[in-house]
Each structure stands twice: as C-alpha cells, then as structure tokens.
Amino acid sequence: IGIIDADDGRHQQGIDKPEDVMYLDPTLLNVSTASAVAAVKDELLHMGDIIGRMFDVTREAFFEYDAAKLEERRKKFDSLEDSVNKITRAISEYASEIWQRGVSDEVSTVLGCYVNASLDLERIGDRIENLIERCDAMDHYLSAEAVGEFQDMYDTTNKALTTAMTSMEKESAEDAYEVIKNIERRIDNQERNYRRNHIDRLNKGECDPEKGVNFITLLSNLERIGDHSNNVAGYTLDIIALNRKV
C-alpha cells in the first residue's frame, strides 16, 4: 500500500462494535511507527463505518417515518455520534504521541492526512445531526416533490461519503476522482436546482414560507457533507502522490 501498510484484517474484524475505540493500541507506539500509523488508518475507517450507520439511522427516520420510533432512533443516533466524537479525540491524541516520537516527513504527511480526514468525518456527523433534528418536517409539511428531491440528494451525498472512504481504504485514485470530479459536481447541481425548484413552489403558494426554510436547511447540510467527503478524497490523492515519490 506504500509508506504505511495497514492491510492486516483488523478493520474487518471490528466493525460490529462501533462504541469502542478499537485499533489505537498504546503498545504499538513503542513497537513500530508503521504499525501505529496503520492503526490510525484502521480507526479512521472504523469511524467511517459509524458515520455510515448514522446515515442509515437518519434515512430510516426520514423515509420510513414513524413517530413512535423517532425517540428510539434518536437514542441510537446519539450513541453513534458520541462514538464518533470519542474516536476523533482519540485519533488526535494518538497521532500526537506518534509525532512526539519522531517520524519521517513522508510518514508525518500521511498521518496528517488521516487526522484531517477524521476531522472532516466528525463534521459530517454534525451535519447529519442537523438533518435528523429536522425529521418531523418531512412528515408534517414538505410536499411530495420536495421529499423526492431531498431523498435524491441524500442518496447522492451518501454515495460521496462511501466512495471517499473506499478511496481512502484502498488508496484508489479512481474512487477519489469519482468523488471530486463527478459526485461532488452532481451534489452541487442538485442543491442549485432543488433550491430553485423550492423558490418556484414558494412563488406559486405551494408551501409555507416559514416552514419551508427547513427544506433549504436540509439541502445546505447535504451540500456541506459533500464538501467534507470531497476533502477526504483529496487526502487520498495526497497519500497516493506521496507514495509515488517514495
């Protein structure tokens, strides 16, 4: 895989325990810098799995709306979000320990990419939280057309995240460029078009102007998730470029 070889199966073994910081073993810090940095990558991928589950819970809350299940889903979401916040802090602290022990410029750059990607993932979690907080809006007063547009953009944004994480896991330039050149552009076009459609509905009196602001907020949060996914894909390209120089 290049400077850091993390393909030892640990990531696949751990995805069923999202509440734990799973891979940041302190003993690795004194054994092998490469193994410690690889553990950061594994933890980042684990974090991406949890973010994916947050997407799934939010999807259920919106598109399989059930007021009786909303509290249960929100508790599940909050638990996952808490895990993301803990992992973000743990990655930063663990990376600091690695840096303090001294690493090459190349390894330092790779480690920095992982830390920065974890911060983008944390911000994605915050944006997903903004979505689920507005779940009631979907059932109560958004039009069928607006719901369809939101679901369309939601699926595209989810694809941006999953493809970005695949690019990081496999160090795949193809997947990274798919996010940067194609999916991100699609998200931007959807946000622009659906915002315009919403204004048209407002002008026709088809929706409540005061409540309809929630729809714009939903689109804006999805667009920002796309931006952060784009950043993750960019870090993948940085790592690939560095590996080619070594």
Side-chain angles (χ1 to χ4, degrees):
I1 296 180
I3 296 170
I4 302 298
D5 187 351
D7 189 15
D8 60 3
R10 290 174 294 160
H11 172 58
Q12 286 76 13
Q13 293 172 9
I15 60 176
D16 291 331
K17 295 176 65 180
E19 69 279 5
D20 297 331
V21 175
M22 300 195 62
Y23 302 110
L24 304 181
D25 184 351
T27 62
L28 293 176
L29 294 168
N30 297 317
V31 174
S32 166
T33 298
S35 295
V37 177
V40 175
K41 178 178 180 178
D42 285 337
E43 199 66 60
L44 178 68
L45 297 175
H46 175 216
M47 187 178 179
D49 290 334
I50 299 173
I51 294 289
R53 293 184 62 180
M54 292 168 68
F55 250 111
D56 291 341
V57 172
T58 303
R59 178 190 299 278
E60 292 173 1
F62 273 109
F63 306 122
E64 301 172 22
Y65 184 85
D66 186 337
K69 295 181 179 180
L70 191 57
E71 182 177 356
E72 176 187 349
R73 286 167 172 166
R74 186 56 200 258
K75 287 181 179 179
K76 183 177 181 180
F77 182 95
D78 289 344
S79 176
L80 294 169
E81 184 186 31
D82 183 61
S83 295
V84 167
N85 293 336
K86 289 178 180 177
I87 292 172
T88 304
R89 291 193 298 271
I91 286 177
S92 294
E93 292 170 0
Y94 195 84
S96 294
E97 291 286 340
I98 296 173
W99 274 313
Q100 289 174 18
R101 283 164 168 76
V103 294
S104 68
D105 290 343
E106 291 81 6
V107 171
S108 180
T109 299
V110 171
L111 184 58
C113 287
Y114 294 155
V115 172
N116 288 335
S118 74
L119 297 175
D120 275 289
L121 289 180
E122 183 184 37
R123 293 185 183 105
I124 288 175
D126 293 338
R127 294 292 176 172
I128 301 173
E129 181 183 23
N130 290 343
L131 296 178
I132 201 169
E133 286 177 346
R134 290 164 174 80
C135 181
D136 282 343
M138 300 298 288
D139 184 66
H140 290 290
Y141 48 75
L142 288 184
S143 67
E145 182 180 4
V147 172
E149 290 172 346
F150 172 62
Q151 185 167 8
D152 188 30
M153 190 170 173
Y154 192 96
D155 290 342
T156 306
T157 305
N158 193 13
K159 183 174 179 60
L161 172 63
T162 57
T163 307
M165 292 309 300
T166 298
S167 79
M168 181 64 74
E169 180 176 10
K170 299 180 178 179
E171 293 185 9
S172 166
E174 180 180 359
D175 287 312
Y177 280 123
E178 174 65 15
V179 175
I180 293 169
K181 293 185 176 181
N182 296 323
I183 303 177
E184 173 68 7
R185 185 178 305 164
R186 196 179 314 149
I187 291 171
D188 289 342
N189 288 337
Q190 287 175 326
E191 196 273 341
R192 183 170 53 253
N193 291 336
Y194 296 160
R195 183 184 291 267
R196 184 173 59 243
N197 292 347
H198 178 66
I199 293 173
D200 289 342
R201 288 191 291 269
L202 286 174
N203 291 336
K204 295 176 182 177
E206 296 175 356
C207 59
D208 186 319
E210 182 178 351
K211 296 178 179 179
V213 71
N214 281 282
F215 183 68
I216 297 299
T217 301
L218 295 175
L219 298 185
S220 296
N221 278 282
L222 289 175
E223 194 272 335
R224 292 298 295 144
I225 291 171
D227 289 343
H228 291 302
S229 299
N230 189 73
N231 290 346
V232 173
Y235 299 134
T236 296
L237 294 180
D238 290 343
I239 294 170
I240 293 171
L242 187 62
N243 286 338
R244 288 173 178 169
K245 293 179 181 179
V246 177

